[in-house]
Amino acid sequence: MSTPMTPPSDAADEHVENEIELKEVAGLSQGQIVRRRFFRHKGAILGLLVLGTTALLALTSVGVGPVPGWWQWTPYETPPVLNAGGRPTMSLPTWLGGSGFAIGEHPFGQDEIGRDIFARVMAGVQTSLMVMVVIGGVAAIVGILVGAAAGFVRGRTDTFLMRATDLVITVPTLVIGAVIGKIAGGVSGLVFAIAMGFILWTTLARLVRGEFLSLREREFVDAARVAGASNLRIIFKHILPNAIGTVIVSVTLLMSSAILLETGLSFLGFGIQPPEVSLGQLISQYQQAFATRPWLFWWPGMFIVVIALSINFIGDGLRDAFDPRQKRIPSERKMAKAMEADGSAARANVTTVRPADDVRNAGMGS
């Protein structure tokens, strides 16, 4: 019974691709290889630039805490309404059908009492970014500790921790988030984010446990144990660095879902409470004006989508960078150049071998 074989042309192309990839990473450490792959991911770099620009705009425009920003209005000032209905003062260029590009005093418009929507949206972006980072950090710490303990110790510890994890998973996230948000949301956004981080660690814990169950049986762990390393050193110096790629990708995607969860809870009234501002809260406050003043929804909704997509793009780039099975397909020019180099090397090898064969044949003839 014959077995299917790879066509010669496909095998040659794969051989050339492997050669090109090996040449590009020759002499580089694992961290340098991951960094190189990440910065070659166009979507991840675009997401990183957009997220960085959004964070910089939000932090510098309205300021942080007692530090003032460069924008003339604060989220709580109530200046007189300039345009009828609080329409935005920003106008489009003439080539887009506008009256000429201009920003004005209230580019995103004003609400019914005159508050500047740009300042309120920037404050909401700050809150959403803070919640996203805090939830990701708390969930990462709890998930790594629980998953590492369960996967490394095993036995009764594993059983107890995983049953506790399953108990948290069985409760719908939106329900338990609404309860926690109602209690902690009125205190401060930071307290709300910390409380939410303590319920969103379950998926990460199960993932880390699986990684530890696999890695603890590897040879380098046995070597470290024979060398006298303690369990904590084995966990944090040997096993965790080998699982860090999976952890980083999971935390990144968790942060993206966290900002959407906070937005949904704030929209329903169970998240961030006034006087603090969040993007979901802004949409909830202005939902009655959707038909008459739609610009009150455009900007909060746009920034929610932009932040969530940017985090997802960054997560995709990190996943591809940490996955050793991912290959970057070289361009046709590099493929042709590599194949030409292989052909030249083969011809040179043939030219070197033939004179020796001729001499040996002549000696046999004599």
Side-chain angles (χ1 to χ4, degrees):
M1 183 176 179
S2 61
T3 57
M5 300 180 64
T6 305
S9 59
D10 294 344
D13 290 344
E14 185 177 358
H15 174 70
V16 173
E17 289 178 6
N18 291 333
E19 281 191 351
I20 294 175
E21 186 174 2
L22 290 175
K23 288 179 181 178
E24 290 182 348
V25 301
L28 300 178
S29 65
Q30 184 63 31
Q32 291 173 328
I33 294 174
V34 170
R35 188 161 55 248
R36 185 188 185 96
R37 288 176 177 173
F38 177 77
F39 283 110
R40 283 185 170 182
H41 196 287
K42 296 180 180 179
I45 296 302
L46 178 61
L48 192 62
L49 290 175
V50 171
L51 183 64
T53 302
T54 302
L56 184 64
L57 178 63
L59 294 173
T60 60
S61 58
V62 295
V64 181
V67 181
W70 48 263
W71 188 242
Q72 58 182 329
W73 307 113
T74 67
Y76 309 104
E77 287 184 281
T78 57
V81 179
L82 293 182
N83 293 337
R87 288 195 307 273
T89 58
M90 183 170 55
S91 59
L92 297 175
T94 54
W95 56 276
L96 289 177
S99 58
F101 180 74
I103 295 179
E105 293 188 20
H106 306 284
F108 288 5
Q110 297 173 271
D111 62 9
E112 67 279 358
I113 61 175
R115 290 176 296 188
D116 182 65
I117 299 301
F118 176 80
R120 293 180 64 76
V121 169
M122 292 300 103
V125 170
Q126 284 189 20
T127 303
S128 297
L129 291 176
M130 181 273 295
V131 169
M132 176 187 72
V133 173
V134 173
I135 288 178
V138 173
I141 294 173
V142 178
I144 289 174
L145 292 178
V146 173
F152 186 81
V153 179
R154 298 192 300 183
R156 293 182 178 179
T157 302
D158 182 19
T159 302
F160 173 76
L161 291 176
M162 286 301 101
R163 296 298 76 78
T165 303
D166 293 339
L167 180 63
V168 178
I169 291 177
T170 55
V171 182
T173 305
L174 193 62
V175 174
I176 191 171
V179 174
I180 292 178
K182 196 65 176 178
I183 298 173
V187 179
S188 71
L190 180 61
V191 175
F192 169 78
I194 294 174
M196 291 299 297
F198 277 102
I199 67 170
L200 295 178
W201 52 269
T202 52
T203 303
L204 181 61
R206 296 172 69 92
L207 186 63
V208 172
R209 173 183 177 269
E211 290 290 322
F212 269 67
L213 287 174
S214 175
L215 292 172
R216 75 185 303 275
E217 306 298 333
R218 302 286 290 273
E219 292 81 0
F220 66 88
V221 176
D222 294 334
R225 188 176 287 110
V226 170
S230 63
N231 288 339
L232 287 179
R233 182 173 180 83
I234 292 174
I235 291 174
F236 291 104
K237 295 292 184 181
H238 297 279
I239 300 181
L240 187 57
N242 285 276
I244 198 65
T246 305
V247 172
I248 290 177
V249 174
S250 179
V251 170
T252 305
L253 299 178
L254 173 65
M255 293 166 67
S256 175
S257 62
I259 191 172
L260 296 178
L261 178 62
E262 181 274 325
T263 299
L265 290 174
S266 297
F267 176 78
L268 295 173
F270 296 107
I272 307 297
Q273 302 295 325
E276 292 191 71
V277 182
S278 75
L279 297 176
Q281 181 196 107
L282 290 178
I283 295 177
S284 177
Q285 288 179 350
Y286 301 134
Q287 59 181 323
Q288 301 298 330
F290 178 76
T292 57
R293 290 174 291 171
W295 58 85
L296 299 177
F297 295 84
W298 293 343
W299 305 110
M302 184 192 74
F303 278 98
I304 291 171
V305 173
V306 165
I307 294 173
L309 285 179
S310 298
I311 295 294
N312 282 330
F313 284 148
I314 295 172
D316 289 341
L318 289 171
R319 181 191 59 201
D320 294 346
F322 280 104
D323 190 353
R325 295 169 296 179
Q326 293 289 335
K327 289 186 177 181
R328 181 174 180 267
I329 300 177
S331 62
E332 294 183 0
R333 181 180 178 183
K334 285 187 176 181
M335 289 281 290
K337 190 175 181 180
M339 294 183 71
E340 183 180 353
D342 285 347
S344 300
R347 288 193 297 270
N349 188 27
V350 170
T351 305
T352 304
V353 172
R354 277 181 178 174
D357 292 341
D358 293 342
V359 171
R360 185 164 51 253
N361 292 335
M364 292 175 63
S366 60

